[in-house]
Amino acid sequence: MNDLDTRLAPARPGTLRRAAPALLGYAAVRALGLAVLALWSGARGKDAYTLLTARWDSLWYTRVAELGYGYEVRLPNGDVHSNLAFFPLLPWLEKLGAAVSPLSYADAGFAVALLASLAAAWGIFAVADHVYGSRAGVCAVLLWAVLPVGIVQSMAYSESLFTALAAWSLYAVLTGRWVTAGVLAGLAGLTRPVGLAVVAAVWAAGAASFVRDRSVAPEHGARDAERAGAPAADRRVRAPEGARVGPDAPGVRLRRALGMLLAPLGAAGYVLWVGHRTGGGPLGYLDVQAGWRNGFDGGYAFARFVAGRFTSFPSALAGLGLVAGVGLVVWLYVVCVRRRQPLPLLVYTGVVTALALCASSYFGSKPRLLMPAFPLLLPLALSLARLRTPRSAAVVAAVAAASAVYGAFWLNGSGPP
């Protein structure tokens, strides 16, 4: 497979059946994390369910679901925290869940997170299985489950919902389902600002396909004419079933264009609505983010933050950990490029990683913001898949236990800002 090949073999039959081992393993890892969180929180006199559903961003989401947009907090330093910073799809689903069931908004948010995390795990498996095979797909899902901040996947946050939409949109691109890819990308754009990464992936793959069509058509037209002794328009090249030797049919090109058109509508629609509501015009959403002291500075503020860790001991150890973490992320992306992952995966991962690492504030959130960049895990999944099953299971079990303990410690402490 090469980096431009996005219209590959059709989806395998029995996809859910193929994904069952990955989903069962994912559920087991998350159940372990929730059990350890419950025990740890109980020992500290805290309620684990409250930590999952009623702190930090989850409170902002439920407030949007209950009261709509317009709520803001003015801090003593003059900063204005507006709930317009939070994209609407998760609050809409929370409101829908509360309307059709006895669940509260917080309960509905937790239910959405649980279901979305399973959908995300399935989507990650589908992508990895399609590119590298089912064993690598299972390993990719398990690695995503055991991330140090994997407990966020079970919180009433939007990370799981976004990852599910992103993964299935990427899978749709890889299998040539352009309209589906565009719709899912649009929904991802209504979920988080990083939805731009999914839009970029769809557009990059679509543009590459259009370029391929333009370059392949003359070649095959000339070959056809040479073989038949007639104009290319009068004959067609016959190819084995499933082979891709010529440009896509007009219907495929039309669906591709429609998918590309649909992809940015969610993000663009919300950003333009915020600009209209605030009076800030097309850039009004950036003003809302500025009120949270959040923006994109190319990583300058984060670099200063990391450098500041080296001014004393033991904070220097934290600085070394941050440098090692960033180095690992960059190295994994380089490996993804060298192994020629499909273009949409590389574009998506690159944009998610850049937005996460180069944001100008909320430095403690960066591991959480990187969580949707699941293609970074594919090189590790391939290495894990090469091990014998008992050894790979032992590795996953050990890391899952460590992740569960860290997640419980993290949420009972500072937690995700």
Side-chain angles (χ1 to χ4, degrees), residues 40-58:
W40 191 297
S41 302
R44 292 176 58 87
K46 295 183 178 181
D47 179 54
Y49 189 68
T50 299
L51 295 177
L52 294 169
T53 62
R55 291 183 72 187
W56 307 295
D57 290 4
S58 59

Side-chain angles (χ1 to χ4, degrees), residues 308-318 320:
R309 303 304 96 190
F310 290 96
T311 58
S312 62
F313 187 84
S315 67
L317 297 178
L320 288 174

Side-chain angles (χ1 to χ4, degrees), residues 123-135:
I124 292 170
F125 172 83
V127 170
D129 177 34
H130 188 80
V131 179
Y132 295 120
S134 62
R135 187 174 177 86

Side-chain angles (χ1 to χ4, degrees), residues 61 85-91 93 157-163 165-166 184-195 266-267 270 285:
Y61 283 120
F86 295 89
F87 278 51
L89 186 58
L90 177 57
L93 294 176
Y157 271 44
S158 60
E159 273 77 7
S160 289
L161 179 60
F162 173 78
T163 305
L165 293 168
L184 292 174
L187 291 174
L190 286 170
T191 307
R192 296 185 63 80
V194 75
Y270 181 68
Y285 182 77

Side-chain angles (χ1 to χ4, degrees), residues 170 197 333 336 341 344-354 373-376:
L170 292 171
Y333 187 72
C336 292
Q341 280 189 7
L345 299 188
L346 292 177
V347 171
Y348 167 76
T349 307
V351 175
V352 172
T353 302
F374 67 89
L376 288 174

